[in-house]
Amino acid sequence: MKVVALAGGVGGAKLVDGLASLLLPDDLSIIVNTADDFEYLTLKISPDLDTVCYTLAGLANPVTGWGRLDETWQVFKAVGSLGGPDWFRLGDHDLATHLVRTQCLNQGQTLSGITQAFCRNWGIRHPVYPMSDDPVRTIVNTVDGESLGFQIYFVKRACQPVVESFTFQGAKDARPVPEALQKIQQSDLVIFAPSNPWVSIDPILSVPGYREAISEKPVVAVSPLIGGKALKGPAAKMYRELGVQPSAAAVADHYREFLAGFVMDRIDQGQLEKIERWRIIALVTDILMKDKQSRIRLAGEVLEFGETILNRSR
């Protein structure tokens, strides 16, 4: 079975790590949100891409889920002592990634080509693609009339502003990475990882070509919410502020046009009937990924569930 996973953030990274433990490199491709990317201290930062890659490489900080294992902070501290901007934490090992990426981009290399080279150096065998080599930026529009770059909203402002809507700046003119689009076209199953629907998966779908290609494939989504709460990040807060009660059913409804299957936690079993009325097949299980073993277990259940859906459609 050929699988493509769409991902961003810590939850998405954990599931693709589980999938990569079970599927051969020829059978799993990962497309990552890059609308969170931004420039900081003149460096090109790709937070979601780095979180996914560090996780797959076994380099991620196991406590935070982002950043590097055994990180040090000498440069970050020195920047702050000089009065420089220190609202976005860059560790010393992480800084090396951004320095080399920035140099390569300034030389005219593509983000997808740079990511491929990084993956080789980190021992990642499964193909990881940024959603586009063209810049797309998530803008958070607030009820106070502000338009904030995502990292300003997420990190500097600690998700405090009340969200009114999102704009994916540059999306209309962006193009999918050709190899990523081809992987979708060749796939048997597309998985939406348990990432924030609003700011991790929607930006990928906003790039022309992805929505059309994915709509032709069976799609299984894994809920990022358990009991109406997000384990990390502002997904539940965003749902409430946009006038939607956060729940597993709300996530399924968000993706309803695509879904053949939906994976939700046992805590949310009471919403099963509602989701099934939408003609979405649901799997109720434990979706909390506390460690490597639980990532692999959940990934195995998602793949088995996907096989069941494929068999029903044959």
Side-chain angles (χ1 to χ4, degrees):
M1 180 169 61
K2 302 286 186 184
V3 175
V4 172
L6 273 57
V10 174
K14 287 180 177 180
L15 183 66
V16 298
D17 185 45
L19 293 169
S21 298
L22 299 174
L23 293 172
L24 295 172
D26 286 344
D27 295 332
L28 173 65
S29 302
I30 302 139
I31 302 173
V32 182
N33 168 49
T34 53
D36 290 4
D37 291 14
F38 76 120
E39 217 174 85
Y40 183 71
L41 291 168
T42 75
L43 298 176
K44 312 287 189 182
I45 316 292
S46 296
D48 275 1
L49 199 55
D50 293 340
T51 294
V52 169
C53 288
Y54 291 160
T55 301
L56 287 168
L59 298 173
N61 183 328
V63 177
T64 62
W66 54 267
R68 291 283 297 261
L69 181 69
D70 299 325
E71 188 61 278
T72 56
W73 305 93
Q74 297 305 310
V75 173
F76 173 78
K77 292 174 183 176
V79 168
S81 72
L82 293 170
D86 59 358
W87 57 268
F88 191 86
R89 291 173 62 83
L90 291 179
D92 299 325
H93 293 95
D94 191 30
L95 185 61
T97 301
H98 309 312
L99 285 166
V100 175
R101 177 191 290 121
T102 302
Q103 180 189 41
C104 291
L105 286 170
N106 289 341
Q107 291 172 345
Q109 297 182 42
T110 63
L111 182 59
S112 57
I114 297 163
T115 302
Q116 186 178 26
F118 283 0
C119 286
R120 284 196 300 269
N121 286 325
W122 289 327
I124 299 169
R125 298 170 58 230
H126 296 78
V128 179
Y129 303 103
M131 68 188 200
S132 180
D133 286 321
D134 303 312
V136 179
R137 298 294 176 259
T138 295
I139 305 299
V140 182
N141 305 306
T142 76
V143 296
D144 293 328
E146 295 181 290
S147 295
L148 305 173
F150 182 75
Q151 297 302 331
I152 298 293
Y153 163 81
F154 184 59
V155 180
K156 191 172 186 178
R157 302 281 291 275
C159 305
Q160 291 302 310
V162 177
V163 174
E164 184 175 67
S165 65
F166 302 99
T167 302
F168 303 121
Q169 196 174 74
K172 290 182 180 178
D173 298 320
R175 296 158 296 173
V177 170
E179 295 87 350
L181 190 61
Q182 185 179 48
K183 290 292 187 179
I184 293 173
Q185 292 164 344
Q186 294 171 346
S187 69
D188 300 302
L189 180 71
V190 174
I191 296 172
F192 291 175
S195 305
N196 188 315
W198 300 102
V199 294
S200 289
I201 303 300
D202 279 0
I204 301 175
L205 299 175
S206 75
V207 176
Y210 282 129
R211 183 176 292 270
E212 296 81 0
I214 290 169
S215 66
E216 297 178 359
K217 300 293 178 177
V219 176
V220 170
V222 181
S223 177
L225 301 182
I226 299 176
K229 298 178 181 178
L231 296 178
K232 282 185 177 289
K237 176 180 181 289
M238 289 174 174
Y239 269 101
R240 283 193 299 271
E241 292 171 356
L242 293 165
V244 181
Q245 182 64 31
S247 65
V251 176
D253 191 32
H254 192 101
Y255 295 139
R256 200 199 303 193
E257 66 178 288
F258 298 105
L259 291 189
F262 185 68
V263 183
M264 56 196 282
D265 196 82
R266 291 192 180 97
I267 291 174
D268 299 310
Q269 186 159 2
Q271 301 167 51
L272 179 62
E273 184 179 346
K274 181 177 183 179
I275 293 169
E276 289 181 334
R277 282 202 304 268
W278 295 331
R279 297 187 178 182
I280 298 169
I281 304 168
L283 171 66
V284 178
T285 185
D286 177 8
I287 65 172
L288 184 62
M289 293 177 284
K290 297 173 289 188
D291 50 31
K292 182 77 170 185
Q293 290 70 31
S294 56
R295 296 177 194 181
I296 295 172
R297 175 199 52 77
L298 179 60
E301 291 183 13
V302 171
L303 292 174
E304 186 177 346
F305 180 51
E307 286 274 18
T308 300
I309 288 173
L310 290 175
N311 289 335
R312 288 189 185 190
S313 63
R314 285 171 183 152

